Amino acid sequence: MYDNYIFDLYGTLVDIHTNESKASLWKYMAGYMTLQGASYSAAELRKRYRSLISDLCRKQYEKNKSLIPELTPDQIEVDLSQVFSRLYQEKGVEQTPQMLADFALLFRAVSLHYFRLYEGAELLLKELHRQGKRIYLLSNAQRLFTEPELRSLGIYDLFDDVMISSDIGFKKPSPLFYGALLEKHGLDPKVSVMIGNDWQADAWGAHNSGLASMYIHTAQSPEIAGGLPRDCRRLETISDVLQQN
């Protein structure tokens, strides 16, 4: 039925739980940065981290809203590498790309409770490949976190392309994010489908971008408040994607 399968990641293929609010995260990260010469208290680091994200989102929205009338503030994505870099710069510490990558991995590791593939997810991707389908990832995520996680799970190379919102500056349900993938690979929306666990970001985001969708409700899914679009098929398990062909 479809030639191109576009997947969400977290809550769809990968079960994950993180907590960036726990005090121990900010204590460890502040200690780590202080040892590198960027002296922060845990409270100061947490406050400045959140403030920088808010400031960058606002600036990016202000920059683009006149050019893209349909853009809303919640569709803006910032690249956390810029945030981490600013945290070092404001303490007078020069950093290299490797320093930022190391910081990001430690930040993720300390905030992470678990991440694992949903049952049947890897087999699904391999079977779609066997059938000659094209497989893409379209994820609201941070490249610094997501690429290492995909590689550690052994599924990074199962995708024909991995498109992350932090690379683009916009996130689902923005048609700008969907459009970036469709345009990059010349995908025909009529033979492409989005599979995800978020009724707004995935199902309606796809619909508003001319794509059909498949929706799976998982523990990470927001409650459906407005119904699913007519061109969305509901799945019981991720393996049911194969039964929709």
Side-chain angles (χ1 to χ4, degrees):
M1 183 174 179
Y2 300 105
D3 295 333
N4 310 303
Y5 288 76
I6 306 167
F7 286 91
D8 172 57
L9 182 62
Y10 300 116
T12 300
L13 296 172
V14 171
D15 186 14
I16 189 169
H17 177 61
T18 62
N19 183 359
E20 293 185 5
S21 297
K22 61 183 182 181
S24 59
L25 167 66
W26 301 102
K27 177 183 177 182
Y28 290 139
M29 298 314 301
Y32 179 74
M33 295 187 76
T34 296
L35 289 173
Q36 295 175 307
S39 181
Y40 280 99
S41 68
E44 179 190 10
L45 179 60
R46 181 177 179 174
K47 181 178 179 180
R48 189 60 184 139
Y49 170 80
R50 293 180 173 178
S51 176
L52 283 170
I53 291 176
S54 178
D55 289 347
L56 287 170
C57 282
R58 177 180 52 79
K59 289 177 180 177
Q60 189 165 321
Y61 175 67
E62 292 295 328
K63 178 181 177 182
N64 287 284
K65 69 177 183 179
S66 61
L67 302 173
I68 311 167
E70 67 274 18
L71 185 66
T72 58
D74 63 323
Q75 294 176 357
I76 295 294
E77 182 72 278
V78 299
D79 185 345
L80 286 185
S81 66
Q82 298 177 36
V83 176
F84 297 153
S85 180
R86 283 282 297 277
L87 289 171
Y88 279 108
Q89 289 173 9
E90 291 180 0
K91 294 296 184 177
V93 175
E94 294 184 8
Q95 53 334 125
T96 64
Q98 188 60 53
M99 279 181 65
L100 296 178
D102 291 343
F103 181 92
L105 285 180
L106 180 59
F107 185 95
R108 188 65 156 185
V110 178
S111 65
L112 187 65
H113 284 209
Y114 62 79
F115 73 106
R116 58 203 175 207
L117 285 168
Y118 282 112
E119 184 177 357
E122 184 175 4
L123 289 176
L124 167 64
L125 298 176
K126 289 180 176 179
E127 176 59 21
L128 289 172
H129 263 304
R130 190 192 68 79
Q131 294 181 15
K133 308 298 185 180
R134 304 286 286 178
I135 307 172
Y136 302 94
L137 187 73
L138 192 73
S139 178
N140 290 350
Q142 293 291 320
R143 174 73 62 176
L144 287 169
F145 301 156
T146 300
E147 184 169 334
E149 288 170 355
L150 289 171
R151 293 189 184 281
S152 71
L153 291 168
I155 62 171
Y156 185 88
D157 292 329
L158 295 179
F159 296 99
D160 292 286
D161 193 13
V162 172
M163 189 164 284
I164 306 295
S165 58
S166 66
D167 296 339
I168 306 300
F170 305 104
K171 59 186 176 181
K172 297 177 291 183
S174 173
L176 296 168
F177 192 24
Y178 282 92
L181 178 66
L182 297 176
E183 181 178 354
K184 180 179 179 181
H185 295 284
L187 302 184
D188 181 354
K190 295 179 181 179
V191 292
S192 305
V193 64
M194 177 73 203
I195 302 102
N197 76 308
D198 189 308
W199 70 281
Q200 287 181 305
D202 300 317
W204 280 104
H207 176 81
N208 293 332
S209 301
L211 291 160
S213 63
M214 298 181 190
Y215 170 82
I216 181 169
H217 191 85
T218 66
Q220 297 181 43
S221 298
E223 288 303 316
I224 299 176
L228 296 170
R230 286 177 294 177
D231 55 358
C232 178
R233 298 177 179 178
R234 190 157 186 164
L235 310 176
E236 293 300 320
T237 70
I238 193 64
S239 299
D240 291 343
V241 168
L242 293 172
Q243 298 176 16
Q244 300 295 333
N245 293 335

